[in-house]
Amino acid sequence: MYRYDTHDQTLVNERVAQFRDQMNRYLAGRISDEEFLPLRVQNGLYVQRYAPMLRIAIPYGMLASYQLRKLGDLARDYDRGYGHFTTRTNLQLNWPKLETVPDMLAELASVQMHGIQTSGNDIRNTSTDQFAGISEDEEVDPRPWCELIRQWSTFHPEFTYLPRKFKIAVTGAAEDRAAIQVHDVGLRLWRDDKGEVRVKVLAGGGLGRTPMIGEVVRDDLPWQHLLTYLEALVRVYNQFGRRDNKFKARIKILVKALGVEEFRRRVDAEWAHLKDGPQTLTREAVEAMQSHFVDPERRAIGEEAIAEFERLRGENRAFARFVTNNVHGHKVPGYKAVTLSLKRKNHSPGDLTWEQMHQVADLADEFSYGEIRVTHEQNLVLADVAVDRLEELWHRLEELGLANPTVGTLADLICCPGGDYCALANAKSIPVAQAIQERFEDIDYLYDLGPLDLNISGCMNACGHHHVGHIGILGVDKKGEEWYQISLGGAQGNDSSLGKILGPSFDRESVPDVIDKVLQVYVGERAEGETFIETYRRIGLKPFKERVYA
């Protein structure tokens, strides 16, 4: 992991002191609500439906065990004993008292964490592949590049008040697990014939009110120019992005309005002033950053241990299910990455209690070199587990309720906090998620359905990524009542697509029945070995619509 130097720590400490003074002046009535709003949001502080909410940055989804323990401490000491992991890999605490937030930020600073730029019209937390650095299909480890982007974008003097929020995702693997096509900027790192890193740059993707797939702006940017090109791109957005209408302020609207060719021309014209300038990356700078992301000193795992793992997997059906669904391949023989499911019946997806945070931190120390990853599917990952200890870890996770062997299935649904917390929501999301989990809890049926993404958002801001769910659910407001719109055919990854609305919306009680009918069509129409999204793309929306609205 990246460790703060003296400059990093000083910067974060000074920000805490600055915000403490701003908070004191606000509570004393010397700063108005309007003046305080931009100050608080750039420190991650929202005012939600019932209470303040603090959003804590987890840069590119990486946590040290001591940082997760600190998050547990904050949930216990300042909140209601739990936290919520979001689709941007951040953690949200939904019930802090306003006057305690500076103290919370001071505690975060003590473990190299903060809430800076987790909100506001600025460059948000950069995200990446949860298996970065260990995946078998990886060409370039994206983590050092994410950290370079984080340092470049934090407190950038030009980009403090952009037309709208701005999100960047990076991947360096053959399979896109970072959803780069639906971000304001998506970066795909690859190597040319000489082994040099190049960057494919996409711009204008995003979900929300007007979902769009990003356009390729540049195919083969040399690594040295990553920051100067990003600077030029964001400058063009900052200058020409709409500020008169927040619903049309995202960069996707600008790219669509100009067309990708004209947008590229403007970026290149701006880049001409920056190319080869002082922000050009040097090999020494990149190597210095890469030195923060070295592999742990893993012990060698022999062939006998690997064979024993396969034997246990063959003899224990429950363990085999866990391995098949929750365990990912690793670049080092004898090691695996293990996904801890935060999707449990009678719990909100993505929620973790303070006790569980402490316990997962202990497991990370014991089984995975003190490191935890957060996924944008709202789960956690232990990235370096030796196979000769995998069964032991599985038993420990079962005791904590985190071994649900359903990762990648319908039960592994994504869900925003919705109307239970968020002031922007049109409808509640969590009760819908829980009703679906209760309806479809037969594990053999879930496995028979195969890979299936179901995503739920409580409003058009799409924090639950419903547009790219194979099945998407959107809460809508009809004359003060909560209704739910269903879409089908969305997907993230290499072949991203946006879902199409099935038809008129449904009341909350009807949603599980509607999902059941959709699944019946899939089961009846699928060819052998065909996934839900493959069947949908072959037969289209019509058969699902006819069945649901019959």
Side-chain angles (χ1 to χ4, degrees), residues 374-393:
V374 185
T375 79
H376 74 267
E377 291 92 358
Q378 299 174 290
N379 293 316
L380 301 180
V381 171
L382 300 180
D384 281 287
V385 180
V387 295
D388 59 0
R389 301 202 67 195
L390 194 51
E391 186 189 32
E392 180 187 358
L393 174 62

Side-chain angles (χ1 to χ4, degrees), residues 430-485:
I430 295 170
V432 177
Q434 292 173 339
I436 292 170
Q437 288 171 319
E438 290 175 5
R439 178 68 170 270
F440 303 102
E441 59 182 353
D442 185 291
I443 200 162
D444 290 320
Y445 182 59
L446 292 174
Y447 290 166
D448 179 65
L449 293 173
L452 211 164
D453 296 339
L454 190 149
N455 300 354
I456 308 173
S457 298
C459 76
M460 285 298 296
N461 286 309
C463 294
H465 296 182
H466 66 278
H467 294 294
V468 290
H470 300 153
I471 301 174
I473 302 175
L474 168 66
V476 295
D477 177 18
K478 281 189 174 183
K479 298 180 180 179
E481 296 183 355
E482 297 181 3
W483 289 71
Y484 296 86
Q485 189 180 81

Side-chain angles (χ1 to χ4, degrees), residues 7 17 29 45 141 148 158 193 233 238 272 296 310 422 430 465 495 509:
H7 299 291
L45 179 59
D141 185 347
L148 287 165
E158 288 186 48
D193 294 339
L233 191 153
N238 201 22
E310 294 296 344
C422 182
I430 295 170
H465 296 182
D495 192 18
E509 289 70 24

Side-chain angles (χ1 to χ4, degrees), residues 229-449:
Y229 194 80
L230 283 176
E231 180 111 356
L233 191 153
V234 183
R235 275 188 179 181
V236 169
Y237 168 55
N238 201 22
Q239 181 177 0
F240 298 105
R242 292 186 60 173
R243 297 177 184 271
D244 62 320
N245 185 337
K246 71 176 183 178
F247 301 121
K248 297 183 178 181
R250 298 292 292 270
I251 192 175
K252 60 191 176 184
I253 303 298
L254 178 64
V255 174
K256 183 73 172 178
L258 294 177
V260 69
E261 295 293 339
E262 174 61 16
F263 180 78
R264 183 186 298 117
R265 187 195 67 76
R266 295 190 186 193
V267 172
D268 287 344
E270 185 62 43
W271 189 39
H273 304 294
L274 301 169
K275 187 178 180 183
D276 300 321
Q279 289 195 94
T280 303
L281 291 170
T282 64
R283 196 171 298 277
E284 292 76 20
V286 173
E287 289 175 352
M289 191 59 69
Q290 289 171 335
S291 69
H292 289 276
F293 299 92
V294 295
D295 288 343
E297 294 183 7
R298 304 181 182 99
R299 61 185 175 86
I301 305 298
E303 293 295 330
E304 291 184 2
I306 296 174
E308 175 65 11
F309 158 69
E310 294 296 344
R311 184 190 68 79
L312 290 171
R313 183 180 181 181
E315 291 181 355
N316 188 327
R317 187 183 181 200
F319 180 55
R321 282 175 160 174
F322 175 76
V323 171
T324 298
N325 290 277
N326 295 42
V327 176
H328 190 271
H330 201 289
K331 68 179 183 181
V332 178
Y335 283 83
K336 300 291 184 180
V338 179
T339 300
L340 285 56
S341 174
L342 304 190
K343 318 298 171 58
R344 312 177 308 287
K345 187 177 177 181
N346 300 323
H347 289 79
S348 303
D351 279 8
L352 204 63
T353 67
W354 75 264
E355 296 98 334
Q356 289 172 323
M357 292 186 206
H358 284 194
Q359 291 159 340
V360 171
D362 292 341
L363 293 179
D365 285 335
E366 188 175 349
F367 292 92
S368 192
Y369 303 95
E371 181 190 295
I372 305 103
R373 312 280 183 91
V374 185
T375 79
H376 74 267
E377 291 92 358
Q378 299 174 290
N379 293 316
L380 301 180
V381 171
L382 300 180
D384 281 287
V385 180
V387 295
D388 59 0
R389 301 202 67 195
L390 194 51
E391 186 189 32
E392 180 187 358
L393 174 62
W394 170 59
H395 285 302
R396 300 273 289 276
L397 291 173
E398 282 200 314
E399 293 172 3
L400 301 182
L402 301 175
N404 195 7
T406 54
V407 172
T409 71
L410 175 69
D412 188 29
L413 47 79
I414 290 173
C415 178
C416 75
D420 285 302
Y421 300 96
C422 182
L424 301 176
N426 294 317
K428 293 182 178 181
S429 302
I430 295 170
V432 177
Q434 292 173 339
I436 292 170
Q437 288 171 319
E438 290 175 5
R439 178 68 170 270
F440 303 102
E441 59 182 353
D442 185 291
I443 200 162
D444 290 320
Y445 182 59
L446 292 174
Y447 290 166
D448 179 65
L449 293 173

Side-chain angles (χ1 to χ4, degrees), residues 11-21 43 102-103 105-106 109:
L11 181 148
V12 173
N13 289 343
E14 288 179 349
R15 185 55 177 257
V16 171
Q18 179 192 55
F19 186 64
R20 186 183 298 278
D21 177 64
N43 289 281
D103 292 333
L105 294 177

